[in-house]
Amino acid sequence: MARKTVFLALANLLIPVAMMVFATGFFPYKPFMPGLATYEELGWRDTMGWKDVPAAPFDKVVFMVVDALRSDFVFGDQSGMRFVQSLIRDGTALPFTAHATSPTITMPRVKAITTGSIPSFLDVILNFAESDTSSTLATQDTWLAQLKAKQGGKLVMYGDDTWLKLFPDFFARADGTSSFFVSDFTEVDDNVTRHVPEELLNSDWNAMILHYLGLDHIGHKAGPRSPNMIPKQIEMDNMVRTIYDAIDNEDHHENTLFVLCGDHGMNDGGNHGGSAPGETSPALVFMSPKLKKITEFMDRKSPVDPKGEFEYYRKIEQNDIAPTLAGLMGFPVPRNNLGVFVEEFLHFWDDGADRIQLLLRNARQVKKIVEATHPGLSFSDEVQEMDCEKSLTDGETLACKWQRVVQIMSSVATIHPKMRFLHEAQETMSSTASNYDVSRLVLGTSLGFVSFILAFLALPPLTPITSTGIFYTATLILYSILMFASSYVEEEHNFWYWATSAWYFYLFIRASRKEWQSTFLFHPAIMLLFLHRIIRRWNQTGQKYAGAPDIVHSGIFSGSNSVVLWTLVGATYMDVTLRLSRHVARSIATFDDSTKAPADDDDATDANRFLATLAVLPLGATAFVFKLAFTALDAPELTAGINIGLLQWIVGVSLVDMARMVFGGLVLSGVWIAFADWKRARGRRGRKGRGDLAVALFDLLTVLLITQTKAHNIPLFLIFRTQFFFLSLLSLSPAALTLTTLLTTQTAFFALSNTNALSSLSLSTAYNGLSTYSPLPVATLLFLCNWAGPIYWTLAPLLLLGAHGTSPRNVAVGELDARDWIREEREHVLGLARKETQAEARRKGWTAWREHVARLTVGQAAAGTAVMGACAVMRAHLFVWSVFSPKFLYAGAWAVGWHLGVGGMGGAVVWGAGML
């Protein structure tokens, strides 16, 4: 027994170690060329008759980033940015849709914009580390570094403090704001705007960076169709007007270029991080009165209809910004750039030789990166004979295209070969796999497999072979195989939905052979199937059918029908509040008469129950009002049917204070109930124990999980509670309960509208009770928000497992609360019914817990190993960064946050409370 415990401990220790080792090989930083680029002597100078570096039309830049500025927010007919559209029509603005590659997160996108390179996917993690300094660009070549290095170079920055982390000590004046406090729509932007008028009067800077966050925060909280979205766009448009008017009227801004862009877009849920068209299509606009010179024969229509999904005007790569600014402002292209000078701006130079030189310098710089990536190939500036007709590798193809540039430059200079080489090099190098450390990939996957073997050795005896064991094994094998297919990873929810349905149907077949023949329609397993069907249709998730009809978006909960939603939400809160009142009633009974032995369950009088209800009702009511006020501000369409006067009163309260009241009430209730349970346990003195601390902790946690859940998903917890009741009627074995835990946790995760895409992570409730950004509380609340369903179903089966005995008894079908039966069965497992000693009973209880954890660990180790193996094998796959990499990050969250955090530590707390 001790040996199995050691195996289990080692298996759980190895799971995060394996993930970490694999991550260091899968997400390494890409190498970069250090130092600043300088203008170098070009070949063919005499042949081409070139003069010096082409004169730059601009010497200053205002670079304004509006976080999550999706292309239609500027160019669409519903846009609030009418002034920008008027500049496009006047020819003083040149618009593009900038393609932002995955991951569409602020930090990697800022890296792409400033360096012109393709950032590491690891920046997804570093993006959330507020104190991170390892991701700095202080030693890399960027257009900011080039401008700062110019004589008299001075930079100023206001807005997202991501710029301060990336560029430490770069700015002469700066004021950063945290990008993570998404509850703030106004102050975070006002803090930027207040500096702008004064800076526009200054002439001592050559670059002013502005990064506005409010529009992104609105998206995270309420989506792109929020009523706050258009007013925020108008606010940003007014800021553009202020800056442009200064450029147009102030002499010291005569040569100032104004760039407006988004770092990424957003999806229909208001989130980002993935590769959906809305997320990868931010707007990009260059503005200056000087642009009239080059826009005379260009399309000036605005607003316009998109050519494709969110594709307005010409689509360019986001990293094209870096070389374009280099040419327009007269500094060398940054060393690590993979971008291409935007062709439309070539018309600023009347001399064709200047245009050729700009593109050639861009091509020579990109060629150096290609040479470093393919050191065995020749990229000589001399004409060479090459066989370019055979089947070629990516590197050989680029060598042939460069040789074509050399041949043409040796005779006559034209633009097109250089553009072809640049675009081909950009496409090839952007899609080149990262410099994976294959040895670490193998080691991490091997450690994952070792953890699986150790967990397997910690399992209880596998004989006799049972149908539950076969189902469990088949589920893990099939899941592991499906992880190697990108389409199945994107639609993983379907696997768990069907597996859970099959399990419930099997439970019906197994039980119907013995009983329930006369109540077929109301058989517990049939009811589970029925409820599972509702859960499946609650939110349409995944990628392929993300916009398909579902219950939430059917209109049943919006507009005047919102009363239906809030009736269900109220019923959910009322159910858990009444259950909490029973715990409090028993705790009150414990202190009724100190001369008596502590109270048992049935000792709570009507007066105690009444007092308990009065004590708990404010907690439930506050939580309900908080959720109503929260939703009225973030998703008013879900409260349209509520009385206007009531909503106006509710919206006036402080959401931060109300959330803190709820959290504080939960803590105080937990302390009170735990103390009463401890006092009751001390006074048993051999009497029949009735402790219900485990159930009380679970009910308190349920209130917390509901508070962290979006309003339209709260009724799912009422369905979960009903499912729990029907499961309690099926007398499941410990192995069956573990399998049920595995299936229901995954099902609940996807049912709450989550996917394997980073963009489905919801930040909307990650700041409940917080007035500032703090990493640990935000991370905790973020996990509770997105894993609320799995947390519920990780702990709920423990109550049934703790109640499991050799001959479990059923509860009357008409009684919704199975608590009495659970307590009786817990007493049974403690050995009180068989006259066993407390020590023996506790030993058996912890053995049951260890075996349950061993089965879960086998499942987690198998899943994690399969994901790591799939990422290693598919590392050259087209969708490695958009599908497999996010899946690996989710697998890490499941392994550490869910399995070790909730299933391990959290489960141990609940189980230990039940053993008191």
Side-chain angles (χ1 to χ4, degrees), residues 733-775:
S733 67
L737 283 171
T738 306
L739 176 56
T740 302
T741 300
L742 176 65
L743 295 173
T744 53
T745 51
Q746 295 286 345
T747 297
F749 176 77
F750 293 107
L752 288 167
S753 75
N754 294 301
T755 70
N756 283 327
L758 295 176
S759 55
S760 68
L761 278 176
S762 174
L763 299 176
S764 61
T765 60
Y767 298 86
N768 287 344
L770 300 178
S771 56
T772 58
Y773 175 72
S774 182

Short mmCIF file of all heavy atoms in Angstrom, two decimals, residues 733-775:
data_model
loop_
_atom_site.label_atom_id
_atom_site.label_comp_id
_atom_site.label_asym_id
_atom_site.label_seq_id
_atom_site.Cartn_x
_atom_site.Cartn_y
_atom_site.Cartn_z
N SER A 733 -20.17 2.42 -8.50
CA SER A 733 -18.96 1.94 -7.84
C SER A 733 -17.92 3.05 -7.82
O SER A 733 -18.03 4.03 -8.57
CB SER A 733 -18.40 0.74 -8.59
OG SER A 733 -17.95 1.14 -9.87
N PRO A 734 -16.89 2.94 -6.98
CA PRO A 734 -15.83 3.97 -6.97
C PRO A 734 -15.21 4.18 -8.35
O PRO A 734 -14.95 5.31 -8.75
CB PRO A 734 -14.81 3.41 -5.98
CG PRO A 734 -15.64 2.60 -5.03
CD PRO A 734 -16.70 1.97 -5.88
N ALA A 735 -14.96 3.10 -9.10
CA ALA A 735 -14.37 3.24 -10.44
C ALA A 735 -15.33 3.98 -11.37
O ALA A 735 -14.92 4.82 -12.18
CB ALA A 735 -14.02 1.88 -11.01
N ALA A 736 -16.62 3.68 -11.26
CA ALA A 736 -17.62 4.35 -12.09
C ALA A 736 -17.72 5.83 -11.74
O ALA A 736 -17.91 6.69 -12.62
CB ALA A 736 -18.97 3.67 -11.95
N LEU A 737 -17.58 6.16 -10.45
CA LEU A 737 -17.62 7.57 -10.05
C LEU A 737 -16.41 8.33 -10.59
O LEU A 737 -16.52 9.49 -11.00
CB LEU A 737 -17.67 7.67 -8.52
CG LEU A 737 -19.02 7.37 -7.88
CD1 LEU A 737 -18.89 7.30 -6.37
CD2 LEU A 737 -20.04 8.43 -8.27
N THR A 738 -15.25 7.69 -10.62
CA THR A 738 -14.07 8.33 -11.18
C THR A 738 -14.25 8.58 -12.67
O THR A 738 -13.91 9.65 -13.18
CB THR A 738 -12.82 7.47 -10.95
OG1 THR A 738 -12.69 7.18 -9.56
CG2 THR A 738 -11.57 8.19 -11.43
N LEU A 739 -14.77 7.59 -13.38
CA LEU A 739 -15.02 7.76 -14.81
C LEU A 739 -16.06 8.87 -15.03
O LEU A 739 -15.92 9.69 -15.95
CB LEU A 739 -15.51 6.45 -15.42
CG LEU A 739 -15.90 6.50 -16.90
CD1 LEU A 739 -14.75 7.01 -17.76
CD2 LEU A 739 -16.35 5.11 -17.38
N THR A 740 -17.07 8.91 -14.20
CA THR A 740 -18.07 9.97 -14.30
C THR A 740 -17.45 11.34 -14.09
O THR A 740 -17.77 12.31 -14.77
CB THR A 740 -19.20 9.74 -13.28
OG1 THR A 740 -19.79 8.45 -13.51
CG2 THR A 740 -20.26 10.81 -13.38
N THR A 741 -16.51 11.42 -13.13
CA THR A 741 -15.80 12.67 -12.88
C THR A 741 -15.04 13.11 -14.13
O THR A 741 -15.11 14.28 -14.54
CB THR A 741 -14.81 12.50 -11.72
OG1 THR A 741 -15.51 12.14 -10.54
CG2 THR A 741 -14.04 13.79 -11.47
N LEU A 742 -14.34 12.18 -14.74
CA LEU A 742 -13.57 12.49 -15.94
C LEU A 742 -14.47 13.02 -17.06
O LEU A 742 -14.16 14.02 -17.71
CB LEU A 742 -12.82 11.25 -16.41
CG LEU A 742 -12.03 11.37 -17.72
CD1 LEU A 742 -10.88 12.35 -17.56
CD2 LEU A 742 -11.51 10.00 -18.15
N LEU A 743 -15.59 12.37 -17.27
CA LEU A 743 -16.49 12.74 -18.37
C LEU A 743 -17.22 14.06 -18.09
O LEU A 743 -17.31 14.93 -18.97
CB LEU A 743 -17.49 11.62 -18.61
CG LEU A 743 -16.91 10.28 -19.11
CD1 LEU A 743 -18.00 9.21 -19.13
CD2 LEU A 743 -16.29 10.44 -20.49
N THR A 744 -17.74 14.21 -16.89
CA THR A 744 -18.55 15.40 -16.59
C THR A 744 -17.70 16.65 -16.49
O THR A 744 -18.17 17.75 -16.83
CB THR A 744 -19.35 15.20 -15.30
OG1 THR A 744 -18.46 14.79 -14.24
CG2 THR A 744 -20.43 14.14 -15.49
N THR A 745 -16.46 16.54 -16.02
CA THR A 745 -15.62 17.74 -15.96
C THR A 745 -15.33 18.27 -17.35
O THR A 745 -15.41 19.48 -17.59
CB THR A 745 -14.29 17.43 -15.23
OG1 THR A 745 -13.68 16.27 -15.80
CG2 THR A 745 -14.51 17.22 -13.75
N GLN A 746 -15.02 17.38 -18.27
CA GLN A 746 -14.74 17.82 -19.63
C GLN A 746 -16.00 18.35 -20.31
O GLN A 746 -15.97 19.36 -21.02
CB GLN A 746 -14.15 16.65 -20.44
CG GLN A 746 -12.80 16.15 -19.96
CD GLN A 746 -11.67 17.11 -20.32
OE1 GLN A 746 -11.83 17.99 -21.16
NE2 GLN A 746 -10.52 16.92 -19.70
N THR A 747 -17.11 17.67 -20.11
CA THR A 747 -18.37 18.11 -20.70
C THR A 747 -18.76 19.49 -20.19
O THR A 747 -19.16 20.37 -20.97
CB THR A 747 -19.48 17.10 -20.38
OG1 THR A 747 -19.17 15.84 -20.98
CG2 THR A 747 -20.82 17.58 -20.90
N ALA A 748 -18.62 19.69 -18.88
CA ALA A 748 -19.00 20.98 -18.30
C ALA A 748 -18.10 22.10 -18.81
O ALA A 748 -18.56 23.24 -19.01
CB ALA A 748 -18.92 20.90 -16.78
N PHE A 749 -16.82 21.81 -19.03
CA PHE A 749 -15.89 22.83 -19.54
C PHE A 749 -16.38 23.36 -20.89
O PHE A 749 -16.45 24.58 -21.10
CB PHE A 749 -14.51 22.22 -19.69
CG PHE A 749 -13.48 23.15 -20.28
CD1 PHE A 749 -12.91 24.15 -19.52
CD2 PHE A 749 -13.09 23.01 -21.61
CE1 PHE A 749 -11.96 25.02 -20.07
CE2 PHE A 749 -12.14 23.86 -22.17
CZ PHE A 749 -11.58 24.86 -21.40
N PHE A 750 -16.72 22.48 -21.80
CA PHE A 750 -17.16 22.91 -23.12
C PHE A 750 -18.59 23.44 -23.10
O PHE A 750 -18.94 24.32 -23.89
CB PHE A 750 -17.01 21.77 -24.12
CG PHE A 750 -15.58 21.38 -24.39
CD1 PHE A 750 -15.06 20.21 -23.89
CD2 PHE A 750 -14.76 22.22 -25.13
CE1 PHE A 750 -13.74 19.86 -24.12
CE2 PHE A 750 -13.44 21.89 -25.37
CZ PHE A 750 -12.92 20.70 -24.86
N ALA A 751 -19.42 22.92 -22.21
CA ALA A 751 -20.81 23.38 -22.13
C ALA A 751 -20.88 24.84 -21.73
O ALA A 751 -21.83 25.54 -22.10
CB ALA A 751 -21.60 22.52 -21.14
N LEU A 752 -19.89 25.31 -20.97
CA LEU A 752 -19.86 26.71 -20.55
C LEU A 752 -19.24 27.61 -21.62
O LEU A 752 -18.78 28.70 -21.32
CB LEU A 752 -19.09 26.84 -19.24
CG LEU A 752 -19.83 26.29 -18.01
CD1 LEU A 752 -18.89 26.17 -16.83
CD2 LEU A 752 -21.00 27.18 -17.66
N SER A 753 -19.22 27.15 -22.87
CA SER A 753 -18.80 27.89 -24.07
C SER A 753 -17.29 28.00 -24.23
O SER A 753 -16.81 28.84 -24.99
CB SER A 753 -19.43 29.29 -24.13
OG SER A 753 -18.84 30.18 -23.23
N ASN A 754 -16.52 27.16 -23.54
CA ASN A 754 -15.07 27.16 -23.71
C ASN A 754 -14.67 26.33 -24.92
O ASN A 754 -15.41 25.44 -25.35
CB ASN A 754 -14.38 26.61 -22.46
CG ASN A 754 -14.57 27.51 -21.26
OD1 ASN A 754 -14.20 28.67 -21.28
ND2 ASN A 754 -15.18 26.98 -20.21
N THR A 755 -13.49 26.59 -25.45
CA THR A 755 -12.93 25.82 -26.56
C THR A 755 -11.43 25.63 -26.29
O THR A 755 -10.92 26.05 -25.25
CB THR A 755 -13.11 26.53 -27.91
OG1 THR A 755 -12.26 27.68 -27.95
CG2 THR A 755 -14.56 26.96 -28.12
N ASN A 756 -10.74 25.04 -27.25
CA ASN A 756 -9.28 24.91 -27.16
C ASN A 756 -8.57 26.10 -27.80
O ASN A 756 -7.35 26.05 -28.00
CB ASN A 756 -8.82 23.61 -27.83
CG ASN A 756 -9.08 22.41 -26.95
OD1 ASN A 756 -9.02 22.48 -25.73
ND2 ASN A 756 -9.40 21.27 -27.57
N ALA A 757 -9.29 27.15 -28.10
CA ALA A 757 -8.70 28.37 -28.65
C ALA A 757 -8.49 29.37 -27.52
O ALA A 757 -9.33 29.50 -26.62
CB ALA A 757 -9.59 28.97 -29.73
N LEU A 758 -7.36 30.07 -27.55
CA LEU A 758 -7.08 31.05 -26.50
C LEU A 758 -8.14 32.15 -26.47
O LEU A 758 -8.39 32.75 -25.42
CB LEU A 758 -5.70 31.66 -26.73
CG LEU A 758 -4.50 30.71 -26.60
CD1 LEU A 758 -3.22 31.44 -26.96
CD2 LEU A 758 -4.41 30.13 -25.21
N SER A 759 -8.75 32.41 -27.60
CA SER A 759 -9.74 33.49 -27.68
C SER A 759 -11.00 33.18 -26.89
O SER A 759 -11.79 34.09 -26.64
CB SER A 759 -10.10 33.75 -29.14
OG SER A 759 -10.54 32.56 -29.77
N SER A 760 -11.22 31.94 -26.48
CA SER A 760 -12.43 31.62 -25.72
C SER A 760 -12.25 31.86 -24.23
O SER A 760 -13.22 31.78 -23.47
CB SER A 760 -12.85 30.16 -25.96
OG SER A 760 -11.91 29.27 -25.38
N LEU A 761 -11.02 32.15 -23.80
CA LEU A 761 -10.81 32.48 -22.39
C LEU A 761 -11.58 33.75 -22.06
O LEU A 761 -11.41 34.78 -22.70
CB LEU A 761 -9.32 32.69 -22.10
CG LEU A 761 -8.47 31.45 -21.86
CD1 LEU A 761 -7.02 31.85 -21.69
CD2 LEU A 761 -8.94 30.65 -20.66
N SER A 762 -12.42 33.67 -21.06
CA SER A 762 -13.25 34.82 -20.68
C SER A 762 -12.59 35.58 -19.53
O SER A 762 -12.24 34.99 -18.51
CB SER A 762 -14.65 34.35 -20.26
OG SER A 762 -15.40 35.43 -19.77
N LEU A 763 -12.43 36.89 -19.72
CA LEU A 763 -11.87 37.74 -18.66
C LEU A 763 -12.95 38.52 -17.93
O LEU A 763 -12.65 39.29 -17.03
CB LEU A 763 -10.88 38.74 -19.27
CG LEU A 763 -9.65 38.17 -19.99
CD1 LEU A 763 -8.85 39.29 -20.60
CD2 LEU A 763 -8.79 37.36 -19.05
N SER A 764 -14.20 38.32 -18.32
CA SER A 764 -15.28 39.21 -17.87
C SER A 764 -15.44 39.23 -16.36
O SER A 764 -15.78 40.26 -15.79
CB SER A 764 -16.60 38.81 -18.54
OG SER A 764 -16.95 37.49 -18.19
N THR A 765 -15.25 38.10 -15.68
CA THR A 765 -15.44 38.07 -14.22
C THR A 765 -14.13 37.88 -13.48
O THR A 765 -14.13 37.57 -12.28
CB THR A 765 -16.42 36.94 -13.84
OG1 THR A 765 -15.87 35.67 -14.27
CG2 THR A 765 -17.76 37.14 -14.48
N ALA A 766 -13.00 38.06 -14.15
CA ALA A 766 -11.70 37.86 -13.52
C ALA A 766 -11.29 39.03 -12.63
O ALA A 766 -10.23 38.98 -12.00
CB ALA A 766 -10.62 37.63 -14.58
N TYR A 767 -12.13 40.07 -12.56
CA TYR A 767 -11.79 41.23 -11.76
C TYR A 767 -12.88 41.53 -10.73
O TYR A 767 -12.94 42.64 -10.19
CB TYR A 767 -11.57 42.44 -12.67
CG TYR A 767 -10.42 42.23 -13.62
CD1 TYR A 767 -10.61 41.58 -14.83
CD2 TYR A 767 -9.14 42.60 -13.28
CE1 TYR A 767 -9.55 41.34 -15.68
CE2 TYR A 767 -8.07 42.37 -14.13
CZ TYR A 767 -8.28 41.74 -15.33
OH TYR A 767 -7.22 41.49 -16.17
N ASN A 768 -13.71 40.56 -10.45
CA ASN A 768 -14.75 40.75 -9.43
C ASN A 768 -14.10 41.07 -8.08
O ASN A 768 -13.26 40.32 -7.59
CB ASN A 768 -15.61 39.49 -9.29
CG ASN A 768 -16.54 39.30 -10.47
OD1 ASN A 768 -16.77 40.22 -11.24
ND2 ASN A 768 -17.09 38.11 -10.62
N GLY A 769 -14.51 42.18 -7.50
CA GLY A 769 -14.00 42.57 -6.20
C GLY A 769 -12.65 43.25 -6.22
O GLY A 769 -12.10 43.58 -5.17
N LEU A 770 -12.06 43.47 -7.41
CA LEU A 770 -10.74 44.08 -7.52
C LEU A 770 -10.85 45.49 -8.10
O LEU A 770 -11.58 45.71 -9.06
CB LEU A 770 -9.83 43.24 -8.41
CG LEU A 770 -9.56 41.79 -7.96
CD1 LEU A 770 -8.69 41.09 -8.99
CD2 LEU A 770 -8.90 41.76 -6.60
N SER A 771 -10.11 46.41 -7.52
CA SER A 771 -10.10 47.77 -8.04
C SER A 771 -8.82 48.07 -8.81
O SER A 771 -8.72 49.09 -9.47
CB SER A 771 -10.24 48.77 -6.88
OG SER A 771 -9.22 48.57 -5.91
N THR A 772 -7.82 47.18 -8.70
CA THR A 772 -6.58 47.30 -9.45
C THR A 772 -6.15 45.92 -9.91
O THR A 772 -6.66 44.90 -9.43
CB THR A 772 -5.45 47.92 -8.60
OG1 THR A 772 -5.24 47.09 -7.44
CG2 THR A 772 -5.80 49.33 -8.17
N TYR A 773 -5.18 45.90 -10.83
CA TYR A 773 -4.68 44.62 -11.32
C TYR A 773 -3.68 44.03 -10.33
O TYR A 773 -2.73 44.69 -9.91
CB TYR A 773 -4.01 44.79 -12.69
CG TYR A 773 -3.36 43.51 -13.19
CD1 TYR A 773 -4.15 42.46 -13.63
CD2 TYR A 773 -1.98 43.36 -13.17
CE1 TYR A 773 -3.57 41.28 -14.07
CE2 TYR A 773 -1.39 42.19 -13.63
CZ TYR A 773 -2.20 41.15 -14.07
OH TYR A 773 -1.61 39.99 -14.50
N SER A 774 -3.90 42.79 -9.97
CA SER A 774 -2.98 42.04 -9.11
C SER A 774 -2.90 40.63 -9.68
O SER A 774 -3.92 39.94 -9.78
CB SER A 774 -3.49 42.01 -7.67
OG SER A 774 -2.58 41.32 -6.83
N PRO A 775 -1.71 40.17 -10.08
CA PRO A 775 -1.60 38.92 -10.85
C PRO A 775 -2.23 37.70 -10.19
O PRO A 775 -2.97 36.98 -10.84
CB PRO A 775 -0.08 38.75 -11.02
CG PRO A 775 0.47 40.13 -10.91
CD PRO A 775 -0.41 40.84 -9.94
#
